[in-house]
Amino acid sequence: MVYEWWDKGEYEESPKSLPSFLKPFANTFGHFQGANCLAAVLFAISKGKQEWFIYEWIHQKTFLEKLKQYHYEEFLDEGLHQADIVIWKDENAIIQHAAYYIGEELYFNKHGQTMFNPWKLLSKEQLYKEWEHLTLGKYRQRN
């Protein structure tokens, strides 16, 4: 299968607590090229109200502006709460990956920008191992 060139097929089953707006996308492939991890996160923080996000290629600057618009701020403490965001930056402070924390040590994310890269749920262990060579950052919504 061609998709195996881009994805190893690892994913976690959807928990019962998965937000309803993520259910149509979790562990599925898109039909178009271009959507990236930043888009998947913005869709998730909009609670599915901005569906167009999930189909787009989102630039880092747009991503950070939208985080501010949705009242997300970087934080340093250890624990994560449902709806927190994790990002990984390279040595030039460029975001290389982002994921949305759904709870139960599971994350909604998209690795890659092709239609062969699915939106999927990954465990903390899988996700953090993939990006461990980069610097982790965390964001939480403030009210």
Side-chain angles (χ1 to χ4, degrees), residues 46-136:
S46 81
K47 309 268 188 265
K49 293 182 175 103
Q50 298 294 327
E51 188 170 325
W52 67 272
F53 278 146
I54 204 159
Y55 301 111
E56 298 297 317
W57 185 91
I58 302 291
H59 186 275
Q60 173 175 306
K61 182 178 179 187
T62 303
F63 178 73
L64 293 171
E65 287 172 359
K66 290 294 181 188
L67 288 185
K68 283 183 185 176
Q69 182 181 342
Y70 282 91
H71 308 288
Y72 273 81
E73 297 174 1
E74 196 162 11
F75 71 97
L76 299 174
D77 65 354
E78 290 298 315
L80 287 175
H81 299 144
Q82 188 174 18
D84 283 349
I85 298 165
V86 289
I87 63 161
W88 285 269
K89 292 181 183 179
D90 66 17
E91 64 278 357
N92 296 313
I94 305 297
I95 297 173
Q96 297 298 314
H97 191 65
Y100 179 81
Y101 184 60
I102 61 169
E104 301 178 40
E105 301 282 309
L106 295 174
Y107 298 79
F108 177 72
N109 88 130
K110 187 172 193 304
H111 281 148
Q113 303 165 46
T114 75
M115 62 185 167
F116 303 113
N117 301 113
W119 295 287
K120 63 184 178 177
L121 303 179
L122 289 178
S123 69
K124 179 179 180 178
E125 181 182 348
Q126 291 168 308
L127 187 63
Y128 282 54
K129 184 176 179 171
E130 180 77 22
W131 300 100
E132 67 187 352
H133 62 287
L134 299 173
T135 303
L136 175 70

